[in-house]
Amino acid sequence: MRMKGFIGPAYQLQTVNQECQRCINLYPQINELQTAADGEIGSLVSTPGLRLLTTLGTGPIRALWEVSSTGDLIAVSGNQVYRVLADWTSTLLGTIATSTGPVSVADNGVQVMLADGPNGYIVTVADWSLKQITAEGFQGANTVTYQDSYFIANIPGTGEWAISGGFDGFTWNAADFIESNNNGNKLVAVLSNQRQVWSFGTQAIEVYWDSGAVDFPFSRIDGAYIEYGCIAGQSVKRYSNTVIWLGGGTNANGIVWMAQGYVPKRISNHGVELAIQSYANIEDATAWIYQENGHAFYCLNFPSANTTWVYDISTGQWHERCYMGADGNFQRHRAECHAFTYATHIVGDYQNGCLYALDDNVYTDNGNPLVKLRRATHLSVDGKRIYYSKFQLFALVGQGLDGNPPVGADPFVEMRYSDDFGHTWSYGTTRELGKTGQYANRVIWRRVGQSRNRVFEVSCADPVPLVILGADLDAAPGVS
């Protein structure tokens, strides 16, 4: 009997007795034709591994940016700003005043502006020089964007945002700013989307257009007022023709939103929201987006909680991405920021100066085990005892590595289960996934006991591709 619900997302509710699903370093891929064997709707596919490209200083990597006019990569590592070329060699352009915290970047093709909160800097593309913005009218910026010849920046700790001079990031007039229309609405981010400026406040969001007015060129759009705020400015990201952010304020704290026009659509679910709202601090959340293999992923890091949640925009499902720590516990994913440059998805490490490629053909995190885990739904039949004679995992088998490396030549998958709703777990037992070419290998556990409620969990730490196609049970209910 094919086990229903084995292919699915991360979804754990307030009590694990009700739902305790986890999906770590795996994401659901829907079978759009719905023609899979036994009616399975899809599979679980491994997330990409991390392949080291280069190391820039001691880190952390605070920003990555592809220059729009040249395709060069700008990277900020600690207090150092680098230009990175396609062969992954780099040139130090200079230093900035701060060493930690996110750096926001935008460019106009001629100048690249970097903002680290208290300061702003300009990289002039013609000579790759780095200079600090010293204009009296510049008051710092947490986020910066570019539109219609202007660099646009929020003024930290206020409800205001300002614009630079036309085509000149060094020039800032103290009078060229606008204030939020909502009292107490401290701005945490600005973003240009579809040639409109979105200003994200803690209590509300406003949208502006370039009206060309003499005193200040941008004007509010009537009706484009969203009464859900943003709690983390670095969570604001643009994808296609929309924006995504982590909500803040009385009505939206800890909810993830995606705009549909000027209407916010809730894309987080109760399981994700319960997790987010349990964290002591979510104001430091950061995010990055990438698209690959027909999926678009919004990757949301919670540094204080040491956790990463990922929303698949294509399927509407959530999963976790984790790095296996030396203590054997899952940590947040290593990637803090992202750029698609030189036909490579490049991410920067939040702890050191490493730049990695996200690589579907790499099955470790820069040599560290990339552990894939699926914890499925509860199994029960009207409270009756169920006797399990067989549990079979359907997966991509026969993918062991060629030769005789220390790991991966004879890969294993581990299974364990819980008979008390997910509170405690059995010891794990392993089965072979198959050496190279053993494509008919069967992954079966026999005589796996009985329970009134059971949750199965499988995991794999070996450096091989893992695709889970489903699970099969031979089980029979008792009479009571």
Side-chain angles (χ1 to χ4, degrees):
M1 176 182 67
R2 184 69 76 147
M3 180 176 167
K4 293 183 179 179
F6 198 82
I7 304 300
Y11 192 74
Q12 182 166 302
L13 294 178
Q14 200 160 12
T15 170
V16 293
N17 293 48
Q18 184 178 7
E19 196 66 86
C20 63
Q21 294 187 65
R22 297 194 75 179
C23 194
I24 299 177
N25 297 327
L26 295 164
Y27 63 89
Q29 181 161 277
I30 306 302
N31 178 355
E32 294 174 317
L33 297 181
Q34 299 290 289
T35 55
D38 298 311
E40 194 63 67
I41 62 171
S43 59
L44 294 175
V45 180
S46 301
T47 57
L50 299 177
R51 173 169 52 86
L52 182 65
L53 299 172
T54 188
T55 302
L56 306 174
T58 59
I61 303 299
R62 305 168 64 192
L64 295 171
W65 186 263
E66 181 190 25
V67 180
S68 62
S69 57
T70 67
D72 291 81
L73 178 67
I74 297 291
V76 181
S77 174
N79 69 339
Q80 299 175 318
V81 181
Y82 291 87
R83 176 190 179 198
V84 183
L85 300 181
D87 61 359
W88 311 116
T89 59
S90 60
T91 302
L92 178 64
L93 303 183
T95 60
I96 61 179
T98 61
S99 297
T100 60
V103 172
S104 182
V105 189
D107 83 76
N108 61 10
V110 178
Q111 296 175 327
V112 182
M113 180 174 170
L114 297 84
D116 64 359
N119 311 296
Y121 304 85
I122 296 293
V123 174
T124 302
V125 175
D127 59 5
W128 299 104
S129 60
L130 173 69
K131 295 180 181 178
Q132 186 171 351
I133 299 171
T134 57
E136 291 185 6
F138 183 73
Q139 302 178 58
N142 302 113
T143 59
V144 60
T145 190
Y146 179 80
Q147 182 179 314
D148 298 346
S149 83
Y150 304 103
F151 287 106
I152 300 166
N154 74 299
I155 301 175
T158 75
E160 304 167 352
W161 55 274
I163 62 173
S164 70
F167 300 105
D168 186 5
F170 286 109
T171 303
W172 296 77
N173 189 320
D176 284 341
F177 74 93
I178 192 167
E179 186 170 7
S180 169
N181 203 28
N182 188 333
N183 292 334
N185 190 37
K186 182 178 72 173
L187 294 189
V188 295
V190 289
L191 183 70
S192 175
N193 177 53
Q194 292 186 288
R195 295 194 62 201
Q196 297 173 344
V197 178
W198 289 59
S199 66
F200 291 81
T202 54
Q203 303 299 319
I205 299 166
E206 298 177 331
V207 186
Y208 298 76
W209 69 292
D210 187 352
S211 65
V214 175
D215 292 338
F216 190 81
F218 293 94
S219 301
R220 292 184 183 88
I221 298 175
D222 290 338
Y225 185 83
I226 299 172
E227 296 198 42
Y228 293 127
C230 175
I231 197 169
Q234 300 299 329
S235 72
V236 177
K237 292 298 170 184
R238 176 178 55 226
Y239 174 71
S240 188
N241 291 327
T242 189
V243 292
I244 304 175
W245 70 97
L246 177 61
T250 304
N251 297 325
N253 192 54
I255 299 174
V256 184
W257 301 95
M258 176 189 290
Q260 291 187 331
Y262 303 129
V263 178
K265 175 189 175 184
R266 170 179 169 263
I267 60 172
S268 51
N269 57 45
H270 292 310
V272 173
E273 290 158 6
L274 284 166
I276 292 173
Q277 293 169 17
S278 73
Y279 304 152
N281 177 24
I282 61 175
E283 293 183 8
D284 61 352
T286 63
W288 51 281
I289 285 181
Y290 79 105
Q291 184 276 331
E292 192 167 39
N293 299 328
H295 296 258
F297 300 104
Y298 173 75
C299 306
L300 183 58
N301 291 316
F302 293 92
S304 294
N306 203 17
T307 301
T308 300
W309 285 96
V310 178
Y311 177 68
D312 186 344
I313 300 171
S314 308
T315 63
Q317 304 286 1
W318 288 85
H319 65 274
E320 300 172 74
R321 295 206 185 178
C322 299
Y323 181 84
M324 180 55 70
D327 60 359
N329 293 318
F330 286 119
Q331 304 173 356
R332 60 165 286 192
H333 195 260
R334 303 295 294 195
E336 174 65 11
C337 47
H338 165 269
F340 184 69
T341 315
Y342 310 131
T344 303
H345 287 289
I346 306 166
V347 294
D349 198 298
Y350 75 95
Q351 280 193 334
N352 55 45
C354 293
L355 298 189
Y356 309 108
L358 289 177
D359 194 329
D360 284 328
N361 297 311
V362 170
Y363 311 112
T364 68
D365 284 335
N366 190 28
N368 196 65
L370 177 60
V371 179
K372 288 81 67 175
L373 181 147
R374 172 59 180 159
R375 181 178 299 170
T377 57
H378 292 275
L379 296 173
S380 62
V381 179
D382 300 325
K384 296 179 181 179
R385 197 171 295 276
I386 305 174
Y387 297 86
Y388 299 97
S389 58
K390 183 186 76 172
F391 173 83
Q392 180 173 358
L393 180 71
F394 295 102
L396 181 65
V397 296
Q399 301 296 310
L401 303 181
D402 291 325
N404 188 30
V407 292
D410 190 9
F412 285 81
V413 61
E414 179 179 279
M415 184 274 286
R416 62 177 191 160
Y417 55 82
S418 171
D419 288 339
D420 57 6
F421 303 95
H423 292 276
T424 62
W425 294 85
S426 69
Y427 290 105
T429 56
T430 60
R431 295 292 185 270
E432 294 182 355
L433 271 175
K435 299 178 182 180
T436 300
Q438 294 181 344
Y439 303 124
N441 187 70
R442 300 178 72 193
V443 186
I444 298 175
W445 290 260
R446 299 186 186 278
R447 300 178 66 181
V448 285
Q450 48 80 27
S451 69
R452 298 186 189 278
N453 184 291
R454 174 165 289 187
V455 178
F456 283 98
E457 178 189 280
V458 296
S459 63
C460 177
D462 284 319
V464 294
L466 180 65
V467 178
I468 296 177
L469 304 172
D472 185 80
L473 285 175
D474 281 357
V479 295
S480 62

